[in-house]
Amino acid sequence: QVFSAHEPEALRGPQFDAAWVDELAKWKRAEDAWDMLQFALRLGKNPRQVVTTTPRNVGVLKAILKNPSTVITHAPTEANRAYLAASFLDEVRARYAGTRLGRQELDGVLLEDAEGALWTTRALEAARLDVAPPLDRVVVAVDPPVTGKAASDQCGIVVVGAITAGPPQDWRAVVLEDASVAAASPDAWARAAIAALERHGADRLVAEVNQGGDLVESVIRQIDPLVPFRAVRASRGKVARAEPVAALYEQGRVSHLRGLGALEDQMCKMTARGYEGRGSPDRVDALVWALTDLMIEPAQSWRRPQVRML
């Protein structure tokens, strides 16, 4: 028998020992239809159901995945390449590889946006760029971990460039690379940051020094004594620092190149209540410092009245 998820009540009365549910995450009345199906699976010794779906951030799917009786299998689109047109694979790879939508639709990854997130998957996809335009300034921002052990937070290293011609409302920024490293010693993350600076010809390396103080700059200068360096110290909480940056995204003034999935995952879990992911949002912290250095602080100085001495 075949039933439509648009009519959950049609499942009231029939009974089965097995069911196949296709594209559950796209059902408009998913909760109602799923509930009715559970009551109908009452025949045989061990009624079962199979769900095949693209993972999407919907409550019914997340509840199923958390159920101890659920067995999860996973396969990317690439696993079906023998049954798909080569031109289709080439087209979707070219268009969506390295994007959050591609991770969901092609890789089968469940992307969760926290409720009330400062950034959303949809907004980040709308901000996607394939090629960065000529940029006036580029900075590498670093959020160093307290330690370099395996269980330590990652070292957030994010590269951002900006076009700063004209008044601040015309400025635009592009996130170029997430070069963050995990379980790295101070020497390792310092080398990774300087390598990112050299790759992009960046103008400055910005690093938060709340945890390491002068040691952060000392470690970096041991690798490159002449690196243009600016130490920044957080005097406000993570959310307070992130909200002005999120506003730049809302205004359509920040774009992302491809390949920033891990950073974007953290962004979509940053809310007005705080970070709702695991660990610390190191990549987001680095992003915030970069955009603060490139756009937030210079814009504040631009607006401030100046007194010229004659």
Side-chain angles (χ1 to χ4, degrees):
Q1 292 179 271
V2 178
F3 295 85
S4 169
H6 290 282
E7 300 177 356
E9 289 298 316
L11 288 165
R12 188 184 294 276
Q15 53 187 357
F16 320 100
D17 60 0
W20 174 26
V21 174
D22 192 37
E23 293 297 352
L24 170 68
K26 295 185 179 180
W27 292 2
K28 291 185 178 180
R29 302 184 64 185
E31 293 277 1
D32 293 340
W34 180 258
D35 288 343
M36 287 297 99
L37 177 60
Q38 305 318 296
F39 291 119
L41 284 166
R42 53 180 181 257
L43 294 182
K45 293 183 178 180
N46 189 19
R48 298 191 177 192
Q49 53 200 327
V50 174
V51 178
T52 53
T53 185
T54 298
R56 298 178 73 182
N57 188 28
V58 294
V60 64
L61 178 59
K62 292 193 290 185
I64 293 170
L65 294 175
K66 291 178 181 178
N67 192 322
S69 66
T70 299
V71 177
I72 303 171
T73 62
H74 168 269
T77 300
E78 193 71 24
N80 285 327
R81 63 184 306 169
Y83 308 102
L84 299 172
S87 58
F88 164 78
L89 289 173
D90 291 342
E91 180 66 24
V92 294
R93 283 196 209 102
R95 185 164 184 175
Y96 301 111
T99 69
R100 281 179 66 80
L101 184 60
R103 294 181 68 208
Q104 173 182 282
E105 299 293 332
L106 303 181
D107 299 332
V109 176
L110 177 61
L111 305 176
E112 297 188 63
D113 294 357
E115 184 177 350
L118 299 181
W119 294 273
T120 65
T121 294
R122 178 174 295 182
L124 291 175
E125 287 302 329
R128 191 76 56 199
L129 273 185
D130 289 325
V131 180
L135 301 166
D136 297 319
R137 290 189 64 225
V138 176
V139 302
V140 176
V142 183
D143 180 51
V146 178
T147 65
K149 299 179 181 178
S152 301
D153 293 331
Q154 294 185 333
C155 177
I157 303 173
V158 175
V159 186
V160 184
I163 301 169
T164 54
Q169 59 266 30
D170 293 339
W171 297 355
R172 298 291 183 270
V174 181
V175 183
L176 303 171
E177 183 185 359
D178 175 8
S180 302
V181 291
S185 66
D187 180 80
W189 61 250
R191 290 184 183 278
I194 291 172
L197 182 140
E198 293 173 347
R199 274 196 305 277
H200 294 275
D203 300 282
R204 177 188 285 175
L205 194 154
V206 177
E208 181 181 321
V209 298
N210 283 56
Q211 301 292 346
D214 294 340
L215 179 62
V216 173
E217 181 175 2
S218 175
V219 168
I220 290 171
R221 294 208 180 279
Q222 287 176 18
I223 309 300
D224 184 349
L226 301 179
V227 65
F229 177 84
R230 180 193 176 200
V232 290
R233 188 177 295 274
S235 59
R236 299 184 298 162
K238 295 180 186 295
V239 173
R241 298 197 308 272
E243 285 179 330
V245 171
L248 295 176
Y249 281 81
E250 291 177 3
Q251 296 162 6
R253 296 170 59 192
V254 184
S255 300
H256 280 204
L257 295 186
R258 297 171 184 266
L260 300 171
L263 167 63
E264 292 169 350
D265 284 349
Q266 285 194 355
M267 294 172 71
C268 292
K269 294 175 183 174
M270 193 75 185
T271 76
R273 301 177 299 277
Y275 182 59
E276 299 191 357
R278 293 183 178 179
S280 176
D282 315 281
R283 300 167 193 264
V284 175
D285 282 344
L287 171 74
V288 167
W289 285 123
L291 284 166
T292 298
D293 185 84
L294 283 169
M295 297 183 72
I296 303 294
E297 290 180 350
Q300 292 171 346
S301 300
W302 195 89
R303 294 191 194 96
R304 191 175 298 126
Q306 302 291 322
V307 176
R308 179 176 295 179
M309 302 298 293
L310 299 177

